[in-house]
Amino acid sequence: MGTSKPLVRNHIAWNYPALTSSYKDFGIIGSKIRLIHNDVKEFPGSDGKWHEFNVKWSYADHTLTYKFDGQDPVKVPIIVNNIFGTTQVYWGFTGKTGKSNELNQVAFKKNIEYSDYVTKLQSVP
């Protein structure tokens, strides 16, 4: 699932940054602790084009599924209480450009209405 190969290209991956088990020391001499990248999917990066990125959360299956530009979907198992220590969490996405900088933009085609979301959460046992 995780990769230890050097990541030199634009990619999407996942892990749990708050867990120590999400890191590995890749150093031979000295320490080079890095976040393990699970299910690495390469993509073109900032090429001036729009790219489709779909995300779906299934409470019943405890799975977050994402898919980028027609690639095979990635399913991330998340037992919310085990990972976060609570059943109330906020989802978010982040990105990084390393030592460089570039323009990255996001547009949402569909967003869950907050009132619908709260109603669904209140009905979950």
Side-chain angles (χ1 to χ4, degrees):
M1 181 164 26
T3 181
S4 59
K5 68 180 182 180
L7 298 168
V8 294
R9 297 198 171 155
N10 297 315
H11 67 278
I12 297 172
W14 68 270
N15 213 326
Y16 307 109
L19 300 180
T20 21
S21 60
S22 295
Y23 296 86
K24 181 177 179 180
D25 190 343
F26 293 101
I28 296 171
I29 300 174
S31 182
K32 283 192 175 184
I33 297 174
R34 301 282 188 259
L35 182 67
I36 298 166
H37 291 71
N38 292 319
D39 297 309
V40 174
K41 299 283 186 182
E42 291 189 16
F43 71 98
S46 295
D47 60 1
K49 298 176 185 175
W50 289 102
H51 299 278
E52 190 167 352
F53 183 68
N54 295 296
V55 179
K56 180 182 177 186
W57 165 247
S58 171
Y59 177 82
D61 297 333
H62 305 286
T63 303
L64 183 128
T65 303
Y66 65 87
K67 183 177 179 179
F68 181 79
D69 254 1
Q71 294 181 358
D72 291 336
V74 173
K75 295 181 181 273
V76 182
I78 304 175
I79 307 296
V80 175
N81 197 39
N82 291 358
I83 299 297
F84 301 103
T86 181
T87 58
Q88 297 180 344
V89 298
Y90 293 95
W91 300 110
F93 303 92
T94 186
K96 144 179 195 174
T97 58
K99 296 177 184 174
S100 305
N101 61 38
E102 60 191 18
L103 177 63
N104 290 291
Q105 299 173 324
V106 174
F108 293 93
K109 285 185 178 180
K110 182 178 178 184
N111 195 5
I112 297 173
E113 291 295 324
Y114 181 73
S115 58
D116 292 341
Y117 179 69
V118 170
T119 303
K120 287 177 186 174
L121 281 180
Q122 290 172 347
S123 66
V124 173

